[in-house]
Amino acid sequence: MSTLKIALQKSGRLSEDSLSLLKKCGFSIETESGELKASVANFPLEILFLRNSDIPQYLMDGVADLAIIGQNLLAEKEFPIETIMPLGFSKCRVAVAVPKAFSFTSISDLNGLRIATSYPETTRRYFKSQNVRIELHQISGSVEIAPNIDLADAIVDIVSSGNTLAKNNLKEVAVILESEAVLAVSPKIKLNSKIILERFLFRLQSVLRASQSKYLMMNVPNTKIQEISELLPVLKSATVVPLSLEGWSSFQTVINETAFWDVIDKLKASGAQDILVCPIEKIAL
């Protein structure tokens, strides 16, 4: 029987979030600490735990059929690897940062200066597009310390909250690209693996839809049902159940969480009462 092989970062926050997502999809993952491969008891899926920077090559070679990986790494490698969907976690950006004392007005201020980075190709492309000449120093790990030890005048690195930059007396001055975890597929995935992939994607999409949605219930006057229906984007049609209180109904639907906050005042103004918002585990369409 064919098995779908998915590559994950072997350690770190991206690995933890990826495993959490797979478990929410109902995959029973059998793994022990330090293992580089894990099987799934209830689905033809095998998990490969790899060094993050090696994952694009494994996809290119067809060793892995899929991977959960950061967009920033795919951009750095520039391999012809298709991205199936964004996953909504591990959001960050590749940014240029300089010492706080640096008087920065534009990216041209870095012309001729030393830039330290773990993303040399991304950095080269960006500064070339800006017509800025740089002296590039490729290093791995602890990029933020480079200006403090006079290895570089500025850096290009991954930024999430910005706390690490602040701790190293640096400030962000330009964003090269935005990134998040994505599901990527090997260009060499076999036909029988593609069949399993469809089943895998159905589970994944059901969980991702649910994470972005909420189940909404409220009591509304019958005379306002149509008005409230027009305020809310719904999957297909809202459920309306008559209450024992004459002239009132329970109005139930599924909405995007952000949509609720956009219309809450309008719902109340239209007479909605006892508004209840509940989480959803999965949505299968």
Side-chain angles (χ1 to χ4, degrees):
M1 183 178 178
S2 297
T3 301
L4 191 68
K5 295 181 180 180
I6 183 169
L8 306 183
Q9 181 177 306
K10 66 179 180 180
S11 61
R13 182 63 182 271
L14 177 57
S15 177
E16 294 170 2
D17 290 345
S18 299
L19 282 172
S20 175
L21 175 60
L22 294 179
K23 289 175 181 178
K24 288 177 182 177
C25 291
F27 299 124
S28 179
I29 301 171
E30 301 174 348
T31 182
E32 294 182 10
S33 178
E35 284 189 332
L36 299 181
K37 187 168 67 173
S39 60
V40 174
N42 58 347
F43 194 86
L45 181 67
E46 186 175 79
I47 302 172
L48 308 176
F49 296 99
L50 305 172
R51 191 170 64 175
N52 202 36
S53 59
D54 292 339
I55 291 176
Q57 190 63 59
Y58 277 79
L59 288 172
M60 288 299 300
D61 293 341
V63 175
D65 301 307
L66 296 171
I68 295 179
I69 189 170
Q71 288 172 301
N72 57 292
L73 186 54
L74 291 179
E76 171 67 18
K77 296 296 185 180
E78 281 197 302
F79 290 151
I81 295 172
E82 179 188 357
T83 295
I84 299 179
M85 66 177 73
L87 299 176
F89 58 86
S90 292
K91 292 186 177 182
C92 62
R93 54 198 178 274
V94 180
V96 182
V98 300
K100 290 181 179 179
F102 191 105
S103 181
F104 182 90
T105 56
S106 71
I107 204 69
S108 61
D109 293 339
L110 300 180
N111 191 61
L113 299 186
R114 301 164 300 167
I115 310 295
T117 185
S118 298
Y119 296 88
E121 298 307 318
T122 301
T123 302
R124 285 192 187 99
R125 288 195 304 270
Y126 173 73
F127 281 98
K128 183 178 180 180
S129 73
Q130 301 296 312
N131 295 314
V132 174
R133 179 181 57 84
I134 62 169
E135 180 183 323
L136 193 146
H137 291 261
Q138 181 178 351
I139 59 178
S140 56
S142 301
V143 175
E144 297 87 353
I145 199 174
N148 293 327
I149 59 175
D150 200 32
L151 177 65
D153 301 295
I155 67 168
V156 170
D157 201 18
I158 291 295
V159 178
S160 181
S161 66
N163 290 337
T164 304
L165 292 181
K167 289 177 182 178
N168 286 276
N169 205 33
L170 299 173
K171 60 183 178 182
E172 182 180 340
V173 295
V175 175
I176 296 178
L177 62 89
E178 300 283 351
S179 177
E180 67 178 288
V182 296
L183 184 68
V185 62
S186 168
K188 293 186 178 180
I189 186 171
K190 296 179 176 61
L191 180 59
N192 50 5
S193 295
K194 286 184 178 180
I195 296 172
I196 304 172
L197 174 60
E198 292 302 313
R199 295 167 54 200
F200 176 89
L201 291 177
F202 176 78
R203 292 195 184 200
L204 188 62
Q205 290 165 342
S206 296
V207 170
L208 291 177
R209 286 192 196 100
S211 69
Q212 298 161 5
S213 303
K214 291 291 183 286
Y215 194 77
L216 178 65
M217 295 181 287
M218 68 191 85
N219 296 330
V220 301
N222 291 341
T223 56
K224 296 290 185 175
I225 290 175
Q226 183 60 39
E227 180 180 331
I228 288 177
S229 297
E230 293 172 357
L231 289 174
L232 294 169
V234 298
L235 288 178
K236 284 188 174 65
S237 177
T239 300
V240 179
V241 181
L243 297 177
S244 58
L245 180 63
E246 187 175 349
W248 285 77
S249 294
S250 172
F251 185 101
Q252 305 169 23
T253 189
V254 174
I255 63 168
N256 185 285
E257 184 174 18
T258 57
F260 170 77
W261 296 112
D262 290 339
V263 300
I264 177 64
D265 292 332
K266 294 179 181 178
L267 292 175
K268 293 169 68 176
S270 296
Q273 297 181 8
D274 308 320
I275 301 172
L276 182 63
V277 182
C278 303
I280 302 173
E281 286 193 3
K282 298 171 184 66
I283 299 178
L285 298 180

